[in-house]
Amino acid sequence: MDELRAFIDGVVREGAYRAVLSGPRKPGLRRVTFDRAEDGYFIEKLTEKQAFHERVPLECAAERMEALFADFSQINAWNSEYEFTARLTKKGKLLSGRRRRTDAPAAREPERKKKYLIEAGRAIPPLADMGVMTPDGKIKANMNDKFRQIERFLEFIDELLPEDDGSEISVVDFGCGKSYLTFIVYYYFTEIKRRPVRMTGVDLKADVIEYCRDLAEKYGYTGLRFLAGDIADFVKSDPAPIDLIITLHACDTATDLALFNAVRFGAKHILSVPCCQHELNKSADMACLPLFDDGGILRERACALLTDSIRQKLLTASGYSARVIEFVDLAHTPKNLMIRAKRAALPLPVREKAQAEAEEALSLMKTEQTLHRLLAEAGLLPKQK
């Protein structure tokens, strides 16, 4: 609707510090609030029982506001001089206007600007070559969600690795694909933290790996190498321990192969964001959970959650303190669960209990799961059948 977009563009262009979407037209969200922040807008989406939050850069705010308005009938917005209003009638006509402000809501208390690990406007040359950002460091609108994901990944990495003691850090990225994450992690350690790092990206696609190799050579990233091949065939060439194994949306059983390698090589830390868990969806007998056995979206999502829960239990059984956590807001990706694990001296009863729980679930569903099979075949589980 051209009228609506013109109205919203004007609201953002004229510096509205708050905009409220109200009058829900269907169940779900009951109100959405846009509050101006230093570099864009902070969005709060309210249901009857929950609140969801996200941030959008200024250049994406109008587009996001228009998309969210699809479920509402009214917008009220305020800047220092005017109140802007737009209302959608029952016949679908948009009535809009402005008036001198009289009793507008107070502006949100300015938030303390979050300190990002990658500063806004900082140009990262390989990511500019890949089309994630412009040469001057501005994130491209269509890559904003991807950048938020890799930036959040950096935050997890920053939290779990020890303080700089001068030692070299070893990192492996399984299923690296185009290597957005690989390059930014390498850049973060070498250019921002000034820490020595030895990093390897592994992926099946030879052409993509060749492109990544060329970029690494172009920028003199001597500690970064790329290998073309199956994750299952990965051979650890260095006797030093692996500090961190990462995966970002390694598809289906590729995540299991990466987790298996982490266990068999004794990696200290694991950060894995799974993707497309098809294995149980294809093989599980869901008669044990008939509520989810619809053959459609409920079965698919239940199987995905069961897969990640089984992976968590198997990592615990293998001697890792493991959790499944929310990675980023669903607004940035629907694949927003992360398996976070740290090698730990877990008591044997704890490990055995976790293994039993995973195997009981698999038994009930009358199926096998790749990570379980690999660990069992390699003798890496505490209680072998």
Side-chain angles (χ1 to χ4, degrees), residues 95-348:
L95 304 177
S96 62
R98 69 169 74 188
R99 61 184 179 184
R100 287 283 178 184
R101 212 183 70 176
T102 54
D103 187 23
R108 181 188 181 95
E109 184 71 21
E111 294 185 338
R112 181 173 297 177
K113 190 174 182 179
K114 181 176 179 179
K115 185 177 180 181
Y116 291 104
L117 298 177
I118 301 294
E119 299 168 1
R122 184 175 189 131
I124 302 174
L127 296 192
D129 277 345
M130 292 179 179
V132 177
M133 59 175 56
T134 60
D136 61 355
K138 184 178 180 181
I139 307 302
K140 294 186 177 181
N142 66 327
M143 296 300 293
N144 184 63
D145 285 341
K146 175 63 72 176
F147 187 77
R148 294 297 171 227
Q149 292 172 53
I150 56 180
E151 186 178 57
R152 182 67 178 127
F153 222 109
L154 278 187
E155 292 177 3
F156 282 109
I157 291 173
D158 190 67
E159 288 172 7
L160 61 84
L161 289 181
E163 291 299 317
D164 187 4
D165 59 2
S167 61
E168 185 178 60
I169 295 171
S170 173
V171 183
V172 180
D173 184 355
F174 284 120
C176 61
K178 293 181 180 178
S179 299
Y180 304 127
L181 178 63
T182 322
F183 275 105
I184 202 168
V185 170
Y186 185 84
Y187 180 91
Y188 174 70
F189 278 122
T190 58
E191 301 296 329
I192 297 177
K193 301 295 283 187
R194 299 294 180 183
R195 296 188 66 173
V197 61
R198 183 178 70 261
M199 190 161 183
T200 304
V202 182
D203 199 88
L204 272 174
K205 298 177 182 176
D207 57 336
V208 174
I209 289 296
E210 190 61 35
Y211 174 69
C212 293
R213 285 173 179 163
D214 290 343
L215 276 185
E217 183 178 357
K218 176 180 177 180
Y219 292 107
Y221 290 173
T222 55
L224 177 59
R225 66 171 184 156
F226 290 95
L227 301 177
D230 196 309
I231 298 171
D233 300 327
F234 178 76
V235 176
K236 183 173 174 289
S237 58
D238 194 314
I242 297 174
D243 290 293
L244 174 64
I245 282 180
I246 60 177
T247 76
L248 178 58
H249 299 155
C251 193
D252 200 15
T253 56
T255 294
D256 297 295
L257 293 170
L259 296 178
F260 171 66
N261 279 338
V263 173
R264 72 186 179 111
F265 293 132
K268 296 178 183 177
H269 298 276
I270 304 167
L271 293 176
S272 177
V273 178
C275 175
C276 308
Q277 297 97 316
H278 298 310
E279 186 177 29
L280 292 190
N281 193 27
K282 292 176 181 176
S283 66
D285 181 348
M286 294 293 282
C288 59
L289 290 170
L291 281 173
F292 300 109
D293 197 17
D294 68 340
I297 190 67
L298 290 178
R299 176 187 172 92
E300 178 185 332
R301 293 189 180 179
C303 286
L305 290 171
L306 286 165
T307 299
D308 287 335
S309 180
I310 289 168
R311 287 166 173 163
Q312 177 199 2
K313 295 295 183 183
L314 292 172
L315 286 174
T316 301
S318 302
Y320 283 81
S321 175
R323 295 178 59 203
V324 178
I325 60 174
E326 186 178 72
F327 167 44
V328 290
D329 192 281
L330 278 169
H332 297 302
T333 176
K335 303 159 188 174
N336 75 328
L337 295 184
M338 170 184 277
I339 300 170
R340 182 170 67 177
K342 177 182 180 181
R343 193 153 187 82
L346 300 180
L348 183 59

